[in-house]
Amino acid sequence: MMSILVRDNGFAEDRWEAEGGLFIDLEKFGQDVAEKVSENTCVDIPNDVHIDSLKGLFENAAMIRIPFPSFADGRGFSLAKQLRQHGYEGTLRAVGHVIADQYGFARSCGFDEVEIDNDLAARQPEDQWLARLPQDDLSYQNKWLVEREGRNF
Amino acid sequence: MYEYNQFDRDFVENRNKQFRAQVERRLDGSLTEDEFKPLRLMNGLYLQLHAYMLRVAIPYGTLNSRKMRQLAYLADKWDKGYGHFTTRQNIQYNWPKLKDVPDMLDALGEVEMHAIQTSGNCIRNVTADHFAGAAADEIEDPRPTAELLRQWSTDHPEFQFLPRKFKIAITGAPNDRAVVKAHDIGIQMNRNEAGEPGYRIIVGGGLGRTPMIGKTVREFLPKEDLLPYLEAILQVYNLNGRRDNKYKARIKILVHETGVEEITSMIEEVFEKQKSLHQAPPAEMIEAIEAQFLPPEFDTRPIDEDKLSKIIAADPLLRSFVETNTDLHREDTHTIVTISLKPIGGTPGDATGDQMRVMANLAEAYGYDELRISHEQNVILPHVRRDDLPEIFKVLKDAGLATANVGLLSDIIACPGMDYCALATARSIPVAQELSNAFEDLKRQKDIGPLKIKISGCINACGHHHVGHIGILGLDKAGVESYQITLGGDGTETAAIGERTGPGFSYEEIVPAIGRIIDRYLELREDGSETFLEAYRRVGADPFKDALYSSEAENA
Ligand code: SF4
């Protein structure tokens, strides 16, 4: 099934694989990937993995993909936050059942983009996602961030 | 009293606008009930047995007259003329129409109130000691911290989809009136050896079907570390809490299954990281919050004690009210008045719009415009001069609000139960009413002494029955209500979970059964000063079980 990518500038087609990117499961990573260049590698990690077993990815995965089996399963938010807290600088993608109302939360936790299927994209069209851009989200967390950085809200 | 700044106002307004659009989409059919559900829950709107129910947060239980009058306005305009104060410092309206809810939220917004995060699997309305800022035994007012936590937890991006709901309570006094050990996180303000203020952190308490007393994971946490530490606890919980079984999803199960030591080290490990990165709110902001909770300028002119004691001595009802419904204030010219929302035979926690206005007027006239809601479903005037008591009592009496039963048998906590709640397995309010009627004589109640009876209409334990000195749990046994009794529960600093006595009692039997427990207590107490709980701790459950079950056998 085709996937749709949601980013701050709206919907886009997912061209990762078309452009030579690979999706590799965390288990396989390490065995298969040693010689592959890291900018082609997206590692799929489960959402119940301990951060310590992800340290090896930091230099070697251009992208990490975290699954959302259901929008009510918020583990991905904390996992993304942890990856950022521990210094991962590559792309973070949420994949699965994320709803438009969660887009700002996902971005605030460190995700760059969200991958959803066509059905969900049809049910929750682009405008519903763009209504929840992180910079428009009136949240206390964002406000504190902004105030610390001395910008005006 | 915390006053909203422009940001707070914009935030609530924006949220209400979003919700109004969602309600419109629900009403015109573009949203199904399934899709609408998580959205309405985020805004405190439940679907109950007969109607929608709107649960409004009263952050850390603090109100002023303006807010209280607005709550009365909502009750009169959109409900049936009353509201129901809950065990979590919320007020619930049981009869709103869906189409009216956005207007109700706007009306709340006008007085700086909202219904955000009063439901759903997120951090709920933070509760605090209802005597905060007034009690004589207080180390520090917990409300600035509670307000900080309100802001921090509101729409927190990482913690909106936790395994289950998450409740935080805070107290600034050694006598725990906020039941902190029965919360997901309990916070006790304390001092270290150097005298610096900080917090004791307790994790994994909770009631429900698996009651647990919280465990201390940090004896002393410096003040500035609070948010990163809480983020660490929540992150550990969000990642590791069980999601396979709704009934095992609270943090208490994680703490229990993982062990306190292990969970503490997991928290500390994450905390180290959080601490180095944490982007704390600006210090000026915290100071600005603290500045809003400065105590009022108390009128400390001396009291004419002679005159006051004569007035009180002359009126037995007033005397009884003063003895039962007031507590020690930090200023000796002042006192704390608890207004009982438990009239004999009434519904615990209900207040009419008119009664709310009476309480608002009293706060304005005599109470520095402050009101509190307690988790025991009563309303508090936290600061009143002692010589204003006679006048306050008179006004309360005229409004049917002067029941002198605070802390006594009829000061019962009861959840809504079968009368309103979709999850209920038994009636709860009618049991409270019948008990209260059976013991209507306040003199007798006073003789029985301090007694906390708590009633839940199902295993979810919203009526906190596990921590009642006498707990009553209403179950459904093959289509018939059956009430289980627990004894010896305690929600204070000496917290304990009540012990089950044995088989349950039918609706008809439960009030007489409680009567037998009371009679046995009166027989076996050492003297009038030994409370029910003390006596229970001394003699154990057996004499009470005997009273409950052997006399029943005789009757049979
Ligand atoms: S204890 Fe059960 S019946 Fe009572 S309010 Fe809670 S869920 Fe409803």
Side-chain angles (χ1 to χ4, degrees):
Chain A
M1 183 184 297
M2 271 276 300
S3 296
I4 296 288
L5 273 188
V6 190
R7 298 199 180 107
D8 288 2
N9 56 5
F11 280 7
E13 202 181 305
D14 179 17
R15 303 203 34 85
W16 179 256
E17 282 177 301
E19 286 169 3
L22 296 169
F23 292 112
I24 297 168
D25 282 347
L26 180 61
E27 294 165 26
K28 296 222 185 93
F29 180 78
Q31 311 159 24
D32 300 8
V33 193
E35 72 284 6
K36 298 208 172 79
V37 280
S38 59
E39 57 265 30
N40 281 348
T41 308
C42 170
V43 180
D44 277 311
I45 63 172
N47 70 357
D48 60 356
V49 67
H50 194 278
I51 184 76
D52 287 347
S53 44
L54 300 176
K55 295 283 169 66
L57 304 184
F58 283 32
E59 298 299 316
N60 296 305
M63 174 152 78
I64 292 176
R65 199 159 64 157
I66 301 176
F68 280 75
S70 138
F71 79 96
D73 184 344
R75 280 177 283 194
F77 294 119
S78 278
L79 199 52
K81 187 89 175 281
Q82 274 196 332
L83 279 163
R84 292 302 187 209
Q85 287 175 333
H86 285 257
Y88 178 67
E89 289 177 349
T91 303
L92 272 180
R93 181 189 288 189
V95 58
H97 192 191
V98 177
I99 59 175
D101 306 82
Q102 293 175 312
Y103 184 67
F105 298 147
R107 292 280 289 107
S108 300
C109 289
F111 284 108
D112 299 289
E113 54 194 36
V114 176
E115 180 184 336
I116 54 175
D117 65 31
N118 279 331
D119 283 354
L120 185 57
R123 215 151 38 82
Q124 304 190 338
E126 192 179 46
D127 60 314
Q128 296 193 8
W129 296 78
L130 292 180
R132 302 305 294 256
L133 290 180
Q135 59 267 33
D136 301 338
D137 238 16
L138 275 182
S139 86
Y140 285 93
Q141 304 289 327
N142 286 346
K143 174 183 165 243
W144 293 352
L145 202 74
V146 167
E147 283 177 1
R148 264 188 317 269
E149 290 171 7
R151 281 184 276 148
N152 280 327
F153 197 77
Chain B
M1 167 79 47
Y2 181 74
E3 277 176 29
Y4 276 13
N5 56 33
Q6 192 57 45
F7 178 82
D8 298 309
R9 268 191 290 279
D10 291 348
F11 179 85
V12 170
E13 228 170 72
N14 187 44
R15 192 53 186 258
N16 289 347
K17 236 185 261 160
Q18 275 177 10
F19 189 60
R20 184 178 290 276
Q22 287 158 348
V23 169
E24 277 161 19
R25 282 157 67 212
R26 171 75 191 103
L27 290 172
D28 73 16
S30 30
L31 280 172
T32 65
E33 177 54 31
D34 260 7
E35 289 168 328
F36 181 56
K37 186 177 171 187
L39 305 173
R40 67 171 162 74
L41 285 180
M42 286 166 77
N43 293 286
L45 189 61
Y46 282 73
L47 194 53
Q48 291 287 61
L49 223 43
H50 313 291
Y52 281 105
M53 178 270 278
L54 181 66
R55 181 183 291 159
V56 177
I58 300 169
Y60 35 91
T62 297
L63 286 170
N64 58 16
S65 59
R66 184 161 159 252
K67 292 180 189 199
M68 187 64 117
R69 286 196 188 100
Q70 195 76 337
L71 294 180
Y73 173 75
L74 263 77
D76 288 345
K77 176 148 181 165
W78 290 296
D79 203 299
K80 295 184 174 176
Y82 61 92
H84 177 75
F85 291 100
T86 77
T87 54
R88 290 214 77 256
Q89 298 179 321
N90 297 306
I91 182 170
Q92 295 182 175
Y93 294 103
N94 284 312
W95 305 100
K97 300 219 172 39
L98 179 58
K99 67 171 178 45
D100 294 332
V101 173
D103 289 341
M104 294 173 80
L105 293 177
D106 282 349
L108 288 167
E110 279 170 28
V111 296
E112 311 187 347
M113 295 183 77
H114 61 66
I116 297 166
Q117 287 176 219
T118 55
S119 63
N121 293 337
C122 54
I123 302 168
R124 301 287 187 88
N125 182 32
V126 174
T127 54
D129 181 357
H130 42 267
F131 290 170
D137 64 352
E138 186 168 272
I139 297 174
E140 200 177 329
D141 190 339
R143 291 172 304 157
T145 301
E147 170 59 24
L148 179 67
L149 295 183
R150 181 189 75 83
Q151 299 188 13
W152 163 76
S153 61
T154 299
D155 254 2
H156 193 300
E158 192 181 343
F159 306 128
Q160 293 302 307
F161 298 88
L162 298 169
R164 200 76 179 84
K165 59 187 168 186
F166 203 91
K167 299 175 180 177
I168 302 179
I170 177 164
T171 176
N175 294 307
D176 177 13
R177 287 170 289 261
V179 205
V180 298
K181 287 181 179 159
H183 282 76
D184 296 281
I185 295 179
I187 305 175
Q188 261 170 339
M189 305 188 89
N190 63 3
R191 306 261 151 148
N192 64 5
E193 276 151 24
E196 293 152 345
Y199 308 101
R200 173 182 298 118
I201 307 291
I202 297 159
V203 171
L207 301 173
R209 60 185 68 202
T210 323
M212 303 249 184
I213 299 293
K215 315 281 184 307
T216 300
V217 289
R218 237 332 167 105
E219 203 47 59
F220 179 81
L221 183 73
K223 256 191 151 174
E224 65 275 14
D225 288 343
L226 182 65
L227 292 186
Y229 198 85
L230 295 188
E231 298 232 345
I233 297 173
L234 265 301
Q235 198 172 75
V236 165
Y237 170 57
N238 196 29
L239 287 168
N240 300 288
R242 286 181 62 171
R243 291 175 187 264
D244 58 330
N245 180 341
K246 187 177 160 191
Y247 300 114
K248 302 203 158 153
R250 297 286 289 269
I251 195 173
K252 63 188 173 189
I253 304 291
L254 179 67
V255 173
H256 182 69
E257 290 181 349
T258 316
V260 195
E261 265 170 47
E262 174 68 14
I263 206 87
T264 306
S265 77
M266 286 163 84
I267 294 167
E268 291 290 336
E269 188 190 329
V270 175
F271 170 61
E272 279 312 307
K273 197 85 210 165
Q274 296 278 7
K275 195 179 163 181
S276 61
L277 295 168
H278 188 74
Q279 293 151 328
E284 314 86 74
M285 198 200 89
I286 293 186
E287 283 159 24
I289 292 177
E290 279 170 355
Q292 304 216 38
F293 290 96
L294 293 178
E297 275 193 36
F298 293 119
D299 173 0
T300 54
R301 282 170 306 154
I303 299 232
D304 184 342
E305 301 287 357
D306 266 2
K307 188 172 154 207
L308 181 60
S309 41
K310 272 191 201 120
I311 297 175
I312 292 175
D315 179 350
L317 289 178
L318 171 62
R319 193 171 66 224
S320 155
F321 179 84
V322 173
E323 278 167 16
T324 311
N325 293 32
T326 64
D327 280 271
L328 273 191
H329 195 277
R330 51 197 264 192
E331 286 289 333
D332 64 6
T333 45
H334 284 66
T335 186
I336 303 171
V337 172
T338 299
I339 302 170
S340 167
L341 295 186
K342 323 285 176 64
I344 298 302
T347 301
D350 272 7
T352 65
D354 286 340
Q355 289 177 326
M356 291 183 220
R357 274 183 289 269
V358 167
M359 295 187 277
N361 292 345
L362 281 174
E364 210 170 33
Y366 302 106
Y368 306 88
D369 204 21
E370 284 202 38
L371 288 151
R372 304 287 164 72
I373 307 302
S374 77
H375 71 86
E376 292 179 318
Q377 303 179 283
N378 292 320
V379 177
I380 290 146
L381 295 167
H383 319 289
V384 302
R385 267 181 70 87
R386 285 190 289 112
D387 50 8
D388 286 331
L389 279 170
E391 190 54 34
I392 291 171
F393 175 71
K394 204 170 126 238
V395 176
L396 287 174
K397 205 167 84 186
D398 291 343
L401 287 168
T403 316
N405 65 346
V406 171
L408 301 180
L409 186 148
S410 60
D411 186 6
I412 299 170
I413 290 187
C415 79
M418 199 67 104
D419 292 70
Y420 298 100
C421 178
L423 303 172
T425 45
R427 285 170 288 176
S428 152
I429 292 170
V431 175
Q433 291 169 329
E434 292 199 13
L435 259 174
S436 168
N437 282 327
F439 289 86
E440 65 178 331
D441 179 5
L442 283 172
K443 260 211 214 97
R444 181 155 171 239
Q445 287 190 34
K446 244 184 164 165
D447 178 43
I448 296 166
L451 184 64
K452 292 190 193 294
I453 298 185
K454 303 184 194 247
I455 310 174
S456 303
C458 83
I459 201 158
N460 288 322
C462 304
H464 300 176
H465 64 275
H466 298 294
V467 292
H469 301 165
I470 298 178
I472 301 175
L473 165 62
L475 296 170
D476 173 289
K477 287 268 144 77
V480 182
E481 286 161 312
S482 169
Y483 292 88
Q484 232 167 47
I485 297 176
T486 49
L487 296 175
D490 175 6
T492 69
E493 62 285 354
T494 46
I497 300 293
E499 199 187 323
R500 255 179 67 184
T501 55
F505 294 88
S506 70
Y507 182 82
E508 288 71 28
E509 291 164 342
I510 184 67
V511 173
I514 301 298
R516 292 201 293 282
I517 295 175
I518 303 293
D519 289 343
R520 182 54 55 94
Y521 155 66
L522 292 174
E523 283 159 31
L524 60 72
R525 71 178 172 189
E526 287 187 320
D527 57 52
S529 72
E530 189 183 45
T531 65
F532 175 82
L533 189 61
E534 287 162 357
Y536 177 83
R537 285 182 173 164
R538 178 171 57 82
V539 302
D542 287 344
F544 298 103
K545 285 188 189 169
D546 183 62
L548 277 175
Y549 298 106
S550 63
S551 59
E552 203 191 26
E554 278 162 32
N555 293 343

